[in-house]
Amino acid sequence: MTEEIIIAGFGGQGVLSMGKILAYSGVMADQEVSWFPSYGPEMRGGTANVTVILSETRISSPVLNEYDTAIILNQQSMDKFEHMVKPGGVLIYDPNGIIHPPKRTDINIYKIEGTLIAAELGNVKTFNMVVLGAYLKAKPVVKMESVEKGLQKSLPTRHHYLIPMNLEAVQKGFESLELVQAV
Amino acid sequence: MELKDIINPNNLVYEKPELLTENTMHYCPGCSHGVVHKLLAEVIEDLDIQDKTIGVSPVGCAVFAYNYIEIDWQEAAHGRAPAVATGIARTNPDKVVFTYQGDGDLASIGAAEILHACNRGENMVVIFVNNGIYGMTGGQMAPTTLIGQVTATTPNGRDVGRNGYPLKITELIAQLPGTSYVTRQSVHTPATIRKCKKAIAKAFQAALDKKGTSFVEVVSTCNMNWKMTPVKANEWMVENMFPFYVPGDLKDSSKADPESYTPLKN
Amino acid sequence: MGELRLMKGNEVIAEAAIRCGCDAYFGYPITPQSEVMETLMDREPWDETGMVVLQAESEIASIHMIYGAAASGKKVITSSSSPGISLMAEGISYIAGAELPCVIVNVQRGGPGLGTIQPSQADYWQSTKGGGHGDYRLIVLAPSSVQEMNDFVELGFKLAFKYRNPAMILTDGVIGQTMEKVILSDYIPRLTDEEINEKYGSWATNGRKPGRQRNIITSLEMDSGRMEQNNLRLQAKYAKMEEEEVLFEEFQCEDAEYLLVAFGSSSRICQKTVDLAREKGIKVGLLRPITLFPFPKKPIAALAKQVKGILVVEMNAGQMVEDVQLAAGCAIPVKHFGRMGGIIPSPGEVVEALEQKLIGG
Ligand SMILES: Cc1ncc(C[n+]2csc(CCOP(=O)(O)OP(=O)(O)O)c2C)c(N)n1
Ligand code: SF4
Ligand SMILES: [Mg+2]
């Protein structure tokens, strides 16, 4: 099994750290992983994306131009990445801020109201964990216990008290994924 | 009342200077660079010297300064703007040349270039935006970073034993006989913005009058890398930077001794 | 043995430097490698191993700090990205001329000039053919994974000290910024002053001890005859490297009818290309030079006898392709495919280039 994912949105939405937790979860499940971020000057409000690959075998290129799954969190990223999902692949998006929903008919499309759910949970910073949970529902590439271990590994010890809240958000996201289109 | 009644020339209270381009600035909201750009555009417009002003942009967040003011610009290598400006000024003595530099650009990698250009008294204006940090590369220590200030390369605060002292380069520059006007300003309130504009105007006038180097430091914020809101950053600057980088004129030869300055031979 | 971590290539350079007993790092911030110094400052190795870490005022200063420390027999490393390496060119030439060991890491970005902060391999010529003035060579290692970012720090020092020559780790924004699993090396203690005296006392300028002659580190020689001898000695050293230190890796070359040659991150992309092309029934293999100097001329010459054509894939306008052409000779076509400006070629694009430039043509 190899899963090639792009996660894309605004800087500040936790795109890179979501990728990191996913990558750590993969390491905890003994998989090969790679995590390649967009990088650049630290400007507020810019776009951010990260390519994450999880695999049972050696990973060749950490940089890709087509993906098994695209997780899309703003319109710019929709414009850029919708057409890069492999036919039969998965696109997950948060409708908040999306003006033009995906039009592809040859891929599986899901929605997650991440922004709303995070607000309901009382901490908008858990947004990325809600989306991660939704992704794991669509693609169970790692088990929940690996995610917990991944969080432990990727968060500094002084932030470990936040883990239960984050896991709750993952769980909520897992339960809230909505199917838009299946192929 | 309808929108068109409000958007009416009679109601106009503020207009952006004509020399500022329509390009959306890439700076973080709350950044000082944008304000300084606007003042520069206003001064150049007021003095009506857009046809003979050449700007030299640095490497730093202001690397794209050339996108925002409708004049000729050159983009220099990191720290070398004063040398580039020397080249322009020496070969174009009837032009007005200015550099626009950050604290890393001017006081670290370009310390030699700025000292020698100012010491030679090159006929130019230096706009020095001191935000105490490397903005563009993600918030590493600058020579002007204060003792104890946290940056990406001083995660536990600047430690004198390891990183040396913050550099008051403007005080050094003021010692150099080639400079005629050296001042330190800020742009965090309407009043200081007006004052800073006067200082920049005076510096450009000095260049028109061939008075050698004029140097305007603007003590600034980098809310992004200071990891503060813009308002908090302004407060932090007043509380922490002003006691060390004290605002005001450091040298004004038009007041002291107008004859003290020997103009450059060309 | 070893500790498994998930880390960025840049962070691993810092960690490997600490663990392999480095005495000092000198550097100046520049994207996309600032994490090297940031990680070191965060790790505070001065408390742990006594390693010095200093943010210099410029790359010119960093490389001359390296010169000074290396000349006293210390194990020292610096890192930068393309524009900073250009500034170091002077110092690197002096270090090569004075025959000092050190490791220089270049996490390349696209040029020329200020260019872009995105990944590139356009400093191949600069690294392998000079960069600074005078006839000199760097040992150039091209890692293609985060693991090799760890391994090549130690390897770089081993070769640098063996030959008293600067070694460069030539990587780019892809490997520098990517996080992968890495097994970190075990700690090697820093050398003590006594050990430095014992090992490098014949040349290191660390204070003339009773009973030894004074040591002088210089690249200057006013007598042309003697200067030519110095040059010949350097050339003999480079020739020995070409004999003994060539490193390369082959993927699926046994039955290959076409060959890709690529280094560093391009070689990772080409591994995927090999898979994609073989799915289409094209028998293609990949040769990855690991040492760019010394260059793997012989293995390329050997494969040139087996395959129908070679495609050299680089993130530049065509640099290493010249060395491949020299090694392969004129019997088969040797073509280049590259992207520039920070654009990373995709595996699929390389398959198309292979079809258009070699198979179709
Ligand atoms: C030779 C070279 N070294 C390093 C860099 C990377 N670099 C770009 S901007 C910068 C520092 C900018 O800081 P400052 O001058 O204070 O400007 P600010 O962004 O804070 O306005 C550095 C180190 C470079 N472009 N060239
Ligand atoms: S990083 Fe700092 S200096 Fe640069 S634009 Fe943002 S606030 Fe301004
Ligand atoms: Mg600055």
Side-chain angles (χ1 to χ4, degrees), chain B residues 59 63 75 78 80 104 108-109 134 136-138 140-142 152-153 155-156 162-163, chain C residues 28-31 34 37-38 41-42 44 46 53-60 87 114:
Chain B
V59 174
V63 66
E75 210 297 296
H78 196 20
R80 316 291 180 232
S108 192
I109 195 166
Y134 286 11
M136 170 155 246
T137 42
Q140 297 85 5
M141 181 189 70
T153 49
N156 296 314
R162 206 162 288 291
N163 314 109
Chain C
Y28 186 77
I30 184 167
T31 312
S34 294
M37 190 176 9
E38 290 174 3
M41 292 295 190
D42 205 43
E44 307 189 324
W46 45 88
V53 186
L54 183 65
Q55 179 176 337
E57 68 270 31
S58 71
E59 293 86 353
I60 301 179
L87 274 191
L114 204 47

Side-chain angles (χ1 to χ4, degrees), chain C residues 173-320:
Chain C
V174 176
I175 306 292
Q177 293 292 331
T178 297
M179 281 207 301
E180 292 182 321
K181 287 204 282 195
V182 53
I183 296 171
L184 295 173
S185 303
D186 295 331
Y187 283 83
I188 306 172
R190 289 175 45 235
L191 292 189
T192 60
D193 286 352
E194 291 71 42
E195 286 167 328
I196 291 178
N197 283 335
E198 207 175 291
K199 287 184 123 166
Y200 314 127
S202 62
W203 55 267
T205 50
N206 57 348
R208 185 171 67 87
K209 309 292 173 306
R212 87 146 161 78
Q213 288 199 320
R214 70 199 180 101
N215 286 332
I216 293 174
I217 295 291
T218 179
S219 56
L220 173 70
E221 177 52 71
M222 297 298 279
D223 180 280
S224 299
R226 280 202 293 261
M227 188 64 212
E228 185 174 49
Q229 286 310 311
N230 287 352
N231 272 299
L232 289 170
R233 192 181 65 247
L234 289 179
Q235 293 305 317
K237 187 166 92 172
Y238 305 145
K240 185 164 181 233
M241 291 175 192
E242 297 207 74
E243 252 345 284
E244 294 180 9
E245 309 300 347
V246 173
L247 293 172
F248 63 96
E249 201 179 1
E250 287 181 5
F251 298 88
Q252 310 204 31
C253 286
E254 302 77 25
D255 63 344
E257 290 173 6
Y258 295 93
L259 181 68
L260 299 173
V261 180
F263 69 96
S265 49
S266 291
S267 73
R268 290 287 292 275
I269 290 149
C270 286
Q271 280 175 42
K272 181 127 191 161
T273 302
V274 169
D275 292 342
L276 294 177
R278 282 186 177 257
E279 277 169 26
K280 289 180 123 184
I282 308 169
K283 283 190 180 160
V284 54
L286 166 67
L287 184 139
R288 166 170 89 97
I290 294 174
T291 49
L292 301 182
F293 183 84
F295 191 70
K297 295 175 188 166
K298 286 179 193 159
I300 290 176
L303 280 166
K305 297 208 180 82
Q306 170 190 325
V307 298
K308 295 183 205 155
I310 300 180
L311 185 68
V312 181
V313 182
E314 309 170 72
M315 290 193 279
N316 60 36
Q319 299 192 12
M320 183 175 72

Side-chain angles (χ1 to χ4, degrees), chain C residues 72-136:
Chain C
S72 68
K74 300 289 184 182
K75 194 170 183 180
V76 288
I77 185 166
T78 183
S79 66
S80 187
S81 176
S82 311
I85 298 288
S86 289
L87 274 191
M88 290 186 187
E90 173 196 65
I92 294 174
S93 167
Y94 277 67
I95 290 170
E99 295 190 77
L100 300 173
C102 69
V103 171
I104 301 156
V105 183
N106 181 0
V107 185
Q108 294 165 95
R109 58 191 241 181
L114 204 47
T116 167
I117 55 175
Q118 300 305 324
S120 165
Q121 298 182 316
D123 302 348
Y124 176 88
W125 280 338
Q126 185 194 48
S127 323
T128 59
K129 320 257 176 215
H133 60 282
D135 272 318
Y136 73 87

Side-chain angles (χ1 to χ4, degrees), chain A residues 42-43, chain B residues 27-28 31 33 61 131 135 222-225:
Chain A
E42 310 249 331
M43 297 293 161
Chain B
Y27 299 111
C28 310
C31 175
H33 278 302
C61 280
N131 54 14
C222 172
N223 55 84
M224 172 74 189
N225 288 298

